């Protein structure tokens, strides 16, 4: 059966991506980034609402999280795309152009839906991060004359970030994969590009294997970036142990010295 | 929970007052009321004539705005039992953070003053070290420098040496003594009787939310008047 797979197609899809494919790949990236940013912002707002002394804000925050964690993402996406304009009575969601990328109304609706969904999860992640910071930090900052807001920004949130970044990284990883659902409202992203080719050639293995590979590239690149960020954030309590790269470099350096010796 | 049951204290400029007493007597709570880390149900707190934490409204006291309280706190420095240094900032960064962000001191001036303060507490060479790499005694001295950087009128010490190893307590007490003799107005909650004898102008015995006795150290330690004070001193001296 392996013989009947056109490996050439897979090779082409992986090593010779065409212009249309690159556009789709880029769409997946910027949609995921925008949706994740929206999710972090909403999560921050919801987290502070939950910590508010006003009961109505705490209630709204709870309701938001309940609804968006309790319903499927695809339902939320369809609801926002097909329903938002109807619900608000006017065309709230319009296409937009930002030069580097332009967003069709489907993409905007998708980003909003994904962002809303993500915010519900980010709230808990952010809250856990803030709770992880010792109370004494806030007390010390405020005793020095900082307002609550300043103390949060300069002292608590930077420390909370260390706890928030690993799960946030996982969330972004998921976001890149979940963005594939936007295909179902007509956004031309990575999965959509694979499906379009599959529907015309009926070669599922070739196209879906190739697109799986590209998703793997995206998530792996992100993993590397995430490690760097986590390392940089823990700079203040590292034990200055050499990293893998540094140790690897130490092994190679005699080789390097030999190779570059003057003759 | 009724922690303070009617306390009244007046501290003169440049005076150093030590508060001692058993755990649960309300010493820390009392101290924390002074810079409004704890709310009070009745009474008033004034530093340099300015009402702290509350303002007059129609003859009653209502809680002040966050901004006002923050501004009042710049006049009151506090040193905590657990240091509470900012771990993501170096020693110097800890010291200059509030002067820059709260008082608006220009960065260069703040750094110069910060270095001077670290020098004063004997940690000039640790300016670029993170708290995680400092000993408890060193961290506490940085915390003192950080509080002093705001040039407060009053310094509060909440059992500043209780979480320290015995060997380093002396270093921190030396800094505190130098401050006291230098004319800083200080209220010190402590278990260190030696420090109280050396540096205090008055020693106050607190128990069960009340001030039991208030006297200069010679009289307090040699000839205490109250029974409760005698009991407490006999246990710890």
């Amino acid at each position: 059966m392996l013989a009947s797979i056109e490996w050439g197609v897979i090779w082409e899809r992986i090593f010779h991506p065409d212009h249309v494919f690159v556009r789709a790949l880029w769409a997946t990236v910027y949609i995921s980034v925008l949706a994740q940013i929206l999710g972090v912002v909403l999560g921050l707002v919801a987290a502070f609402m939950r910590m508010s002394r006003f009961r109505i804000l705490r209630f709204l925050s709870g309701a938001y999280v309940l609804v968006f964690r309790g319903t499927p993402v695809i339902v939320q996406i369809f609801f926002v795309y097909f329903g938002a304009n109807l619900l608000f009575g006017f065309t709230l969601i319009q296409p937009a152009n930002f030069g580097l990328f332009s967003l069709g109304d489907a993409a905007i609706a998708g980003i909003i839906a994904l962002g809303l969904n993500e915010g519900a999860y980010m709230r808990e992640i952010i809250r856990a991060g803030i709770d992880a910071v010792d109370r004494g930090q806030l007390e010390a900052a405020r005793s020095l004359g900082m307002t609550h807001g300043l103390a949060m920004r300069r002292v608590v949130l930077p420390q909370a970030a260390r706890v928030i970044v690993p799960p946030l990284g996982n969330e972004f990883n998921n976001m890149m994969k979940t963005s594939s659902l936007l295909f179902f409202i007509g956004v031309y992203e990575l999965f959509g590009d694979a499906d379009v080719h599959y529907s015309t050639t009926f070669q599922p293995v070739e196209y879906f294997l190739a697109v799986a590979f590209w998703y793997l590239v995206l998530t792996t690149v992100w993993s590397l970036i995430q490690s760097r960020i986590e390392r940089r954030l823990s700079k203040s309590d590292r034990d200055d142990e050499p990293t893998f790269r540094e140790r690897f470099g130490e092994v190679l350096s005699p080789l390097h010295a030999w190779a570059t010796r003057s003759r | 929970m009724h922690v303070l049951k009617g306390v009244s204290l007046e501290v003169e400029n440049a005076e150093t007052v030590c508060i001692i007493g058993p755990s649960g007597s309300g010493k820390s709570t009392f101290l924390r009321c002074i810079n409004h880390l704890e709310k009070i149900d009745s009474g008033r707190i004034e530093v340099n004539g300015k009402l702290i934490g509350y303002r007059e409204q129609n003859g009653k006291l209502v809680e002040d705005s966050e901004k006002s309280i923050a501004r009042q706190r710049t006049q009151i420095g506090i040193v905590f039992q657990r240091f509470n240094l900012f771990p993501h900032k170096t020693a110097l960064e800890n010291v200059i953070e509030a002067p820059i962000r709260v008082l608006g001191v220009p960065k260069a001036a703040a750094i110069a003053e910060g270095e001077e303060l670290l020098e004063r507490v004997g940690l000039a060479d640790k300016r670029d070290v993170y708290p995680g790499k400092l000993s408890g005694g060193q961290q506490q001295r940085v915390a003192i420098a950080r509080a002093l950087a705001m040039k407060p009128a009053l310094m509060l010490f909440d059992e500043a040496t209780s979480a320290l190893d015995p060997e380093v307590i002396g270093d921190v007490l030396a800094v505190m003594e130098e401050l006291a003799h230098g004319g800083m107005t200080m209220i010190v909650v402590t278990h260190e009787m030696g420090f109280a004898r050396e540096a205090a102008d008055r020693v106050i015995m607190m128990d069960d939310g009340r001030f039991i006795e208030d006297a200069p150290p010679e009289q307090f330690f040699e000839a205490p008047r109250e029974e409760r004070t005698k009991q407490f001193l006999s246990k710890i001296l």
Side-chain angles (χ1 to χ4, degrees):
Chain A
M1 287 300 107
L2 251 67
S4 61
I5 296 175
E6 275 192 60
W7 296 100
V9 172
I10 300 178
W11 186 269
E12 278 296 306
R13 296 292 291 167
I14 290 178
F15 293 106
H16 296 107
D18 61 25
H19 174 70
V20 174
F21 170 85
V22 173
R23 290 261 300 271
L25 178 67
W26 175 230
T28 292
V29 172
Y30 68 70
I31 285 173
S32 304
V33 171
L34 290 174
Q36 188 64 49
I37 291 175
L38 179 60
V40 172
V41 169
L42 289 175
L44 265 170
V45 170
F48 282 112
M49 277 171 66
R50 197 193 176 290
M51 299 191 293
S52 162
R53 353 165 232 171
F54 301 113
R55 187 128 55 97
I56 179 76
L57 291 181
R58 295 202 304 267
F59 172 77
L60 285 173
S61 178
Y64 163 61
V65 168
L66 179 71
V67 166
F68 281 91
R69 288 207 308 193
T71 53
V73 190
I74 191 68
V75 169
Q76 294 163 17
I77 291 170
F78 271 54
F79 186 87
V80 171
Y81 180 57
F82 293 113
N85 290 344
L86 291 171
L87 209 61
F88 288 105
F90 61 92
T91 327
L92 179 71
I93 296 177
Q94 311 222 15
N97 197 315
F98 296 102
L100 199 59
F101 51 87
S102 60
L103 297 172
D105 55 352
I108 292 188
I111 289 171
I112 291 176
L114 286 174
L116 281 168
N117 181 69
E118 187 57 31
Y121 291 93
M122 284 309 302
R123 187 197 81 164
E124 286 310 292
I125 292 173
I126 289 171
R127 208 167 62 84
I130 292 177
D131 279 349
V133 179
D134 186 72
R135 255 194 133 240
Q137 289 293 302
L138 188 59
E139 279 191 353
R142 300 191 72 183
S143 296
L144 287 166
M146 294 193 207
T147 55
H148 186 83
L150 187 62
M152 275 289 165
R153 264 187 297 128
R154 297 292 300 177
V155 175
V156 177
L157 286 177
Q159 294 181 61
R162 216 179 295 175
V163 177
I164 290 172
V165 162
L168 169 58
N170 287 344
E171 289 295 310
F172 183 64
N173 188 311
N174 283 337
M175 179 65 82
M176 286 197 287
K177 297 177 292 179
T178 310
S179 65
S180 54
L181 289 175
L182 296 191
F183 160 72
F184 294 102
I185 54 170
V187 176
Y188 198 80
E189 42 69 65
L190 201 54
F191 170 66
D193 179 77
D195 187 84
V196 153
H197 284 90
Y198 159 69
S199 351
T200 54
T201 65
F202 294 103
Q203 292 175 303
V205 175
E206 287 83 342
Y207 288 101
F208 293 128
L209 200 61
V211 83
F213 170 83
W214 277 104
Y215 272 110
L216 197 55
V217 167
L218 286 179
T219 53
T220 305
V221 167
W222 171 245
S223 278
L224 293 172
I225 297 176
Q226 186 181 340
S227 311
R228 287 209 106 192
I229 297 176
E230 282 180 34
R231 247 203 323 225
R232 203 178 164 275
L233 274 178
S234 68
K235 178 171 63 149
S236 47
D237 54 27
R238 264 202 297 155
D239 279 319
D240 290 327
E241 260 181 41
T243 63
F244 176 76
R245 261 182 77 200
E246 285 162 355
R247 277 182 275 147
F248 198 65
E250 273 168 45
V251 169
L252 285 182
S253 63
L255 222 65
H256 183 253
W258 176 83
T260 55
R261 72 194 186 285
S262 50
R263 292 173 229 237
Chain B
M1 212 188 109
H2 207 168
V3 179
L4 298 175
K5 302 188 178 123
V7 285
S8 192
L9 180 67
E10 261 190 60
V11 179
E12 296 292 318
N13 205 10
E15 242 193 331
T16 296
V17 173
C18 280
I19 303 181
I20 68 169
S23 319
S25 53
K27 312 190 295 292
S28 283
T29 309
F30 171 70
L31 206 71
R32 288 159 61 90
C33 287
I34 298 177
N35 74 341
H36 201 66
L37 281 178
E38 305 284 351
K39 300 197 196 158
I40 56 177
D41 297 304
S42 66
R44 46 197 300 139
I45 299 169
E46 285 180 14
V47 173
N48 269 351
K50 288 208 216 55
L51 204 54
I52 299 290
Y54 300 88
R55 59 189 157 82
E56 314 251 26
Q57 194 175 298
N58 304 329
K60 293 206 331 204
L61 287 182
V62 295
E63 199 170 2
D64 218 334
S65 70
E66 203 202 340
K67 262 180 77 178
S68 306
I69 295 178
R71 215 177 315 128
Q72 291 154 15
R73 285 186 176 138
T74 61
Q75 280 301 288
I76 308 171
I78 184 166
V79 178
F80 298 94
Q81 184 172 348
R82 300 203 180 279
F83 337 132
N84 290 334
L85 285 185
F86 306 140
H88 57 305
K89 294 185 178 297
T90 62
L92 183 62
E93 285 166 355
N94 261 273
V95 173
I96 64 177
E97 177 72 13
I100 293 177
R101 298 275 153 188
V102 177
L103 298 178
V105 174
K107 192 160 183 199
I111 291 180
E113 287 173 18
E115 285 173 341
E116 235 185 86
L117 280 168
L118 284 177
E119 170 90 46
R120 208 169 134 194
V121 300
L123 291 170
D125 57 336
K126 302 284 184 197
R127 75 197 276 287
D128 296 319
V129 180
Y130 285 99
K133 297 258 189 339
L134 296 173
S135 75
Q138 292 169 330
Q139 288 187 55
Q140 193 63 299
R141 284 184 277 153
V142 174
I144 295 176
R146 180 177 66 173
L148 290 174
M150 297 295 283
K151 304 200 171 77
L154 169 67
M155 281 287 278
L156 306 173
F157 291 83
D158 190 359
E159 301 205 31
T161 57
S162 296
L164 297 177
D165 288 335
E167 316 94 65
V168 296
I169 290 182
D171 294 331
V172 175
L173 289 179
V175 172
M176 289 166 65
E177 261 176 63
E178 190 234 321
L179 256 182
H181 293 315
M184 173 62 77
T185 315
M186 294 166 46
I187 303 179
V188 181
V189 170
T190 185
H191 293 305
E192 296 291 324
M193 301 305 151
F195 172 82
R197 255 194 248 259
E198 277 301 308
D201 296 303
R202 284 150 64 194
V203 183
I204 296 178
M205 165 76 187
M206 189 167 184
D207 189 19
D208 197 29
R210 277 181 253 265
F211 288 158
I212 308 291
E213 186 158 356
D214 179 348
E218 317 79 51
Q219 189 205 310
F220 187 92
F221 290 111
E222 306 311 328
R225 281 194 300 253
E226 300 295 325
E227 195 50 49
R228 192 69 195 84
T229 315
K230 292 184 197 165
Q231 265 178 24
F232 184 71
L233 288 178
S234 70
K235 292 227 188 75
I236 59 166
L237 285 180

